[in-house]
């Protein structure tokens, strides 16, 4: 497909930017294959620094409205309003209504192209030298190599999914219990929703407990059983005690059973419990309500707070963190109490959304390495990208596209994860190596990006479309030293302890920097934060110098002591 075929109007002059990330100004609007470009008339000799570039994929909804009508009802001029997936709103005033409508239709079409083969990452030309290839930085074999060092006899790496023949949403290599053969895994896959048989998510070396994730069992109303699936879970038990955490409510789990799904029944020595996490549709509706009230003006504090609570977003965040903390508690506290492994199996429906929320956040709570920049990248790669979260489906639209514009597959599940991460971060600001800006950066790139990491819905789709061969990994960009230092938290002090987040109403707060990002002027706050960070960096530099001087003093003292001993020996002789 040629992009020029769907662009009805390539350029419009004398366009006025009414609202957006720039001051109101006049300029020229240009449409190219992947971008809308607004160039200010007062630009500095055509410098790109004066241009506003916006990926078509970043546009969530396009609205075109006439400015006025003449006596015959004909439309005079038009407002082009672009509501973006990162919650930014741009509004342009165009003198000719037909030109405005043509530009609007073009952006609408280009922002909703089906499939990923026409997305910008395939056309992006990397302007920097890739020092650390993000496509090879994190893989299952490396995870397994680290696991073997800590636990050599309990796990194995399986190629049962080679060619994605067993489970299309799993990677080709998975880590499973050592005593279980591939034939059992295949039979278990036929018993689990989406063919997602139990695989290792996380191993906690301190208590030797593990988190496994999978799809719901297809028990159905007849109470179907699977001996092979039961054996996989049974072999995890060391202390004859384990937990199955279902991220659905009891009613949702029962309804799923009536439709062919369900939950584990008569799994001996396994305690089954429900820890409800919001469904995809619920998250989408909550986010739409939240962003709507964040854009309202002149609302009283009481009414605004009432609407915030009514949106349900913060309650969803609370429930998600609660479920993850419950999983972490079983792993850390129960494992310590029994001085033996206490495995936890997590699933919801197909295991693509709420399951990944619970397992990834539990690791963030338990594992100090997951709170470093590289560890957090590995967590996202392992628990979201490789684990089969359908990014292209979930991030096709954001908060502004509601009703008939969206489908049942769309929802801000990954944003929920980032918001929960920020909640823990703001409770423990010195325990994370990365900053709030890093989380916002990841949020934006999940919805629209020049990099290929979030393209597609699974590793299989990445392979089928040659994503890893034809695009640049987001981690290749982030791990460039010049870029990486901009996301490093100067307040960071390595903390080996488990972080237990509070979910009290006063502790779970609105992430203002994200949801009010385009409504407020953050320059003063940014300047203050920059000053604090600079002083903290300076403090660490001075501490390093003090430590160096102390070592030098100690070495000089040792030398002086040796010299004194030699002189004493010489006098004696």
């Amino acid at each position: 497909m040629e992009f020029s075929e769907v662009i009805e109007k390539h350029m419009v002059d004398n366009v006025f930017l009414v609202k957006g990330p720039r001051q109101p100004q006049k300029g020229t609007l240009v449409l190219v294959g992947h971008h809308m470009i607004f160039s200010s008339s007062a630009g500095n000799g055509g410098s790109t620094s004066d241009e506003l570039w916006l990926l078509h994929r970043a546009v969530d909804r396009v609205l075109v409205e006439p400015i006025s009508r003449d006596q015959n009802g004909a439309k005079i001029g038009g407002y082009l309003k672009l509501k973006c997936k990162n919650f930014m709103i741009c509004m342009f005033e165009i003198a000719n209504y037909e030109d405005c409508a043509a530009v609007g239709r073009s952006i609408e079409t280009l922002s909703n192209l089906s499939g990923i083969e026409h997305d910008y990452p395939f056309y992006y030309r990397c302007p920097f030298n890739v020092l650390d290839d993000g496509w090879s930085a994190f893989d299952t074999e490396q995870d397994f190599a680290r696991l073997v060092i800590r636990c050599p006899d309990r796990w194995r790496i399986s190629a049962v999914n080679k060619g994605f023949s067993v489970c299309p949403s799993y990677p080709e290599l998975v880590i499973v219990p050592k005593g279980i053969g591939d034939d059992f895994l295949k039979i278990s896959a036929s018993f689990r929703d989406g063919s997602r048989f139990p695989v290792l998510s996380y191993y906690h070396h301190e208590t030797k407990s593990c988190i496994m994730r999978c799809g719901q069992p297809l028990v159905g109303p007849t109470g179907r059983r699977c001996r092979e699936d039961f054996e996989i879970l049974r072999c995890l038990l060391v202390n004859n005690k384990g937990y199955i955490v279902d991220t659905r409510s009891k009613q949702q789990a029962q309804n799923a059973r009536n439709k062919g799904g369900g939950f584990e029944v008569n799994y001996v020595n396994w305690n089954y419990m429900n820890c409800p996490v919001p469904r995809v549709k619920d998250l989408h509706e909550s986010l739409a309500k939240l962003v709507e009230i964040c854009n309202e003006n002149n609302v009283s504090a009481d009414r605004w707070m009432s609407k915030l609570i009514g949106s349900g977003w913060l309650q969803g965040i609370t429930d998600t963190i609660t479920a993850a903390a419950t999983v972490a508690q079983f792993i850390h506290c129960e494992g310590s109490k029994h001085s033996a492994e206490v495995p936890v199996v997590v699933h919801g429906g197909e295991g693509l959304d709420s399951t990944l929320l619970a397992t990834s956040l539990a690791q963030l709570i338990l594992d100090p390495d997951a709170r470093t920049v590289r560890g957090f990248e590995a967590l996202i790669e392992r628990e979201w990208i490789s684990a089969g979260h359908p990014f292209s489906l979930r991030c096709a639209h954001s908060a502004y596209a509601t009703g008939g514009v969206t489908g049942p597959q769309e929802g801000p599940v990954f944003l929920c994860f980032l918001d929960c991460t920020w909640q823990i971060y703001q409770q423990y600001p010195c325990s994370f190596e990365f900053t709030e800006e890093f989380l916002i950066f990841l949020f934006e790139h999940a919805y629209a990006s020049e990099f290929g990491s979030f393209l597609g819905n699974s590793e299989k789709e990445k392979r089928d479309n040659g994503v890893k061969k034809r695009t640049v990994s987001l981690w290749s960009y982030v791990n460039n030293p010049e870029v990486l230092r901009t996301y490093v938290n100067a307040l960071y002090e390595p903390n080996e302890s488990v972080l237990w987040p509070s979910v009290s109403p006063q502790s779970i707060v609105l992430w203002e920097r994200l949801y009010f990002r385009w409504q407020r002027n953050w320059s003063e706050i940014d300047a203050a934060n920059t000053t604090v960070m600079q002083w903290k960096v300076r403090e660490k530099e001075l501490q390093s110098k003090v430590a160096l001087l102390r070592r030098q003093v100690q070495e000089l003292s040792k030398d002086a002591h040796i010299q004194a001993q030699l002189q004493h020996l010489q006098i004696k002789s």
Side-chain angles (χ1 to χ4, degrees), residues 164-462:
F164 308 99
S165 58
V166 175
C167 176
S169 62
Y170 270 170
E172 291 188 284
L173 298 177
V174 292
I175 300 175
V176 296
K178 194 169 186 178
I180 298 298
D182 287 351
D183 52 340
F184 272 47
L185 298 178
K186 291 177 182 178
I187 297 173
S188 174
S190 68
F191 180 67
R192 293 279 175 176
D193 196 2
S195 300
R196 292 173 69 91
F197 54 88
V199 297
L200 179 68
S201 174
Y202 173 67
Y203 177 78
H204 192 54
H205 67 92
E206 184 177 337
T207 61
K208 298 182 176 58
S209 300
C210 65
I211 300 176
M212 306 286 289
R213 50 175 163 77
C214 54
Q216 66 173 332
L218 301 179
V219 176
T222 61
R224 178 189 173 201
R225 296 186 182 185
C226 177
R227 181 182 65 83
E228 289 78 5
D229 186 80
F230 175 81
E231 285 299 318
I232 294 174
L233 266 62
R234 188 188 66 80
C235 81
L236 297 171
L237 297 171
V238 174
N239 196 44
N240 291 327
K241 185 172 186 179
Y243 291 91
I244 297 173
V245 175
D246 194 330
T247 59
R248 302 167 294 182
S249 66
K250 290 182 180 180
Q251 187 60 52
Q252 288 170 336
Q254 186 58 50
N255 291 341
R257 182 173 182 177
N258 296 335
K259 297 176 182 178
F263 47 91
E264 290 81 359
V265 180
N266 296 326
Y267 276 55
V268 182
N269 296 323
W270 286 92
N271 297 311
Y272 173 86
M273 67 180 302
N274 300 93
C275 290
V277 173
R279 303 292 98 184
V280 174
K281 181 181 178 182
D282 297 334
L283 285 173
H284 193 189
E285 292 175 352
S286 295
L287 181 66
K289 293 177 182 177
L290 173 64
V291 173
E292 181 182 0
I293 64 175
C294 288
N295 288 328
E296 290 184 359
N297 297 316
N298 302 320
V299 181
S300 66
D302 290 343
R303 181 169 173 76
W304 191 89
M305 184 58 68
S306 176
K307 285 190 171 184
L308 174 62
I309 296 172
S311 72
W313 181 258
L314 292 185
Q315 185 59 53
I317 297 297
T318 300
D319 293 342
T320 303
I321 295 177
T322 300
T326 301
V327 173
Q329 185 176 17
F330 289 148
I331 292 294
H332 184 76
C333 301
E334 290 293 317
S336 299
K337 184 190 302 182
H338 296 284
S339 299
E341 303 174 35
V342 178
V344 178
V345 175
V346 183
H347 69 70
E350 195 173 350
L352 299 172
D353 300 290
S354 59
T355 300
L356 304 182
L357 280 170
T359 58
S360 57
L361 288 169
Q363 292 178 52
L364 195 72
I365 292 170
L366 291 166
D367 188 1
D369 184 62
R371 304 190 284 269
T372 64
V373 175
R374 198 171 185 86
F376 194 66
E377 293 171 3
L379 178 66
I380 292 173
E381 187 71 34
R382 181 179 63 251
E383 288 301 294
W384 289 90
I385 298 174
S386 294
H389 178 67
F391 279 97
S392 290
L393 285 174
R394 297 292 184 263
C395 299
H397 286 287
S398 182
Y400 293 119
T402 56
V405 180
T406 63
Q409 299 288 341
E410 297 161 11
V413 183
F414 187 65
L415 172 58
C416 179
F417 164 70
L418 295 176
D419 198 324
C420 291
T421 300
W422 178 83
Q423 298 291 341
I424 304 173
Y425 166 84
Q426 60 95 19
Q427 292 182 28
Y428 296 92
C430 298
S431 296
F432 289 79
E433 189 185 27
F434 49 85
T435 61
E436 176 183 41
E437 287 72 21
F438 184 52
L439 298 176
I440 296 175
F441 168 84
L442 292 174
F443 156 66
E444 290 197 323
H445 280 269
Y447 282 90
S449 177
E450 63 268 41
F451 303 105
S453 292
F454 295 116
L455 275 185
N457 298 303
S458 63
E459 289 291 287
K460 181 179 185 299
E461 281 197 20
K462 278 187 168 61

Side-chain angles (χ1 to χ4, degrees), residues 47-64:
S47 171
T48 56
S49 62
D50 294 307
E51 295 176 346
L52 170 62
W53 287 62
L54 182 66
L55 270 170
H56 297 311
R57 279 291 192 191
V59 177
D60 201 24
R61 195 165 192 180
V62 180
L63 298 174
V64 176

Side-chain angles (χ1 to χ4, degrees), residues 83 92 117 162 171 309-310 322 325 337 341 463 539:
K83 296 187 173 183
F92 301 91
E117 62 273 11
K162 193 70 174 176
I309 296 172
T322 300
K337 184 190 302 182
E341 303 174 35
R463 185 201 65 176
E539 179 189 0

